[in-house]
Amino acid sequence: MEPLDEWGVEATCPVISEIRGVLGFPLRFRGRVVGVLACYLRTPADEGMLDWLPMFAAHAAVAIANCRALQEIQHLQAELELERDYLREEAAQIVPIDGIVGESEALQRVLRQVDLVAATEANVLLQGESGTGKELIARAIHQRSPRAGRSMVKVNCASIPKELFESEFFGHVRGAFTGAINDRVGRFQLADRGTLFLDEVGEIPLELQTKLLRVLQEGEFERVGEGTTRHVNVRVMAATNRDLKAEVNAGRFRLDLFYRLSVFPLQVPPLRERREDITALTTQFLGAASRRLGRTVPKVPQREMAKLVAYDW
C-alpha cells in the first residue's frame, strides 16, 4: 500500500483522481475548533467556492457540536438513572427520626461540639455504645454544615459481605464480577459534595482500608472493573462502638486510617450518663407511638417513671 500524506490520502491518489487543488476550512462552534473541512478539487478553485465553503463549514460545525452534546446528555442521563436507583434503595431503608431531645449537661456538651465542628470540613469519628444515637448526631452535624444542601449517604459497614465492600464503596461496571448485570454507582460517588456516614467503621476489612485511605487522602478512586479514575469531594463521618485504638494495637485497623477518620473525635454518652433526659425521651416516644397507632397518649405514673430513670441503661 502507498504511504499516506498528512491528509490521510495515498501519495498517488491525487494523480489517479486528477486532483487539482485542496481547500481547507476550520469548523468553529462558539469559538472552539471542532474539526476541519477539507475539499479535494478536480477543477481549480474559484471565488464561488470560497463563498459557499464557510457556510457549509458553519452548518457542519453545528451538526458536530449537537451530536457531541447529545452524547454528553445521554451519558449524564445514564449517570442520573444509576444514582436514582441507588437513592430509591436508600430511601426504602430510611427510618424517620425525631429531633435530638434532652437538656442534660452531657447532651449539651455534645451539641456544643456539633456546632463547633459542623462549619468545618474536618472528618468526624463518633464513638459510643450501640444505641446512643451516633447517626442522629452525624445528621445534626451534616444539617448544620455548608454541605446541608447535598445528601448524607449512609453505609452500614457491618451489613456488607466482605467480597462486596469495594463495589459498595466505589461502584462497579457491568460484567465486573458474577452478578454485576448493570453498572452501579458507589457510595463515594453518590455522596460527592455531600457527606458519607460510615456506620460501624471498625468492620471494614483490613485489605480494603488501604483503598479507603487513598480516597480520603487524594479524593480519587476507580470503579470495580473500570480503569477510569474518578474524583470526588466528600466529607466523611464514621461511627463505631469499638475501641479503635485497641483495634490498631491488635493490627486489625490501620493507624494512618484511624488518624484520617478521627480528625475530630466525638464521644456520644450513653443514656445512663444523661438520666435527666429520660422523662423527656419517654414522653417523646410515647407520643410518636400513640400517633402512629391512633391512640390517646397515656400518662406514665410517677412510680413507673422513677423506675425508668433508675434503670441501668
Side-chain angles (χ1 to χ4, degrees), residues 29-30 59-73:
F29 182 78
R30 294 182 178 176
H59 286 289
V62 171
I64 292 173
N66 286 342
C67 181
R68 291 179 177 176
L70 180 60
Q71 290 176 334
E72 181 66 17
I73 289 171

Side-chain angles (χ1 to χ4, degrees), residues 151-206:
S151 299
M152 186 182 100
V153 178
K154 175 186 173 182
V155 182
N156 188 337
C157 301
S159 66
I160 304 173
K162 182 178 179 180
E163 61 274 9
L164 294 181
F165 261 101
E166 189 173 358
S167 172
E168 191 72 17
F169 280 170
F170 308 127
H172 63 253
V173 296
R174 181 180 178 181
F177 52 85
T178 303
I181 58 176
N182 292 304
D183 289 0
R184 194 174 190 189
V185 175
R187 298 298 174 111
F188 269 96
Q189 187 175 349
L190 191 61
D192 190 21
R193 292 180 290 162
T195 302
L196 183 65
F197 177 58
L198 301 178
D199 198 10
E200 302 299 344
V201 70
E203 301 291 339
I204 298 177
L206 190 61

Side-chain angles (χ1 to χ4, degrees), residues 18 55 79 85-86 89 96 100 102 104 116 128 154 157 164 170 174-175 179-180 184 196 216-217 219 225 234 253 300:
E18 299 181 352
M55 185 184 306
E79 290 286 330
D85 293 341
Y86 229 131
E89 293 179 14
I100 299 173
S104 65
L116 180 64
K154 175 186 173 182
C157 301
L164 294 181
F170 308 127
R174 181 180 178 181
R184 194 174 190 189
L196 183 65
L216 291 178
Q217 290 177 329
V234 175
F253 204 87
V300 181

Side-chain angles (χ1 to χ4, degrees), residues 2 5-6 13 20 54 63 74 99 105 115 122 139 147 161 181 187 202 213 215 226 237 240 244 253 258 289-290:
E2 292 287 341
D5 66 10
E6 60 180 337
C13 185
R20 301 291 182 85
Q74 290 173 338
E105 176 54 33
D115 288 332
R139 289 192 181 278
R147 297 174 180 260
I181 58 176
R187 298 298 174 111
L213 182 65
V215 73
E226 183 181 59
M237 287 189 281
T240 182
L244 284 191
F253 204 87
F258 171 74
S290 298

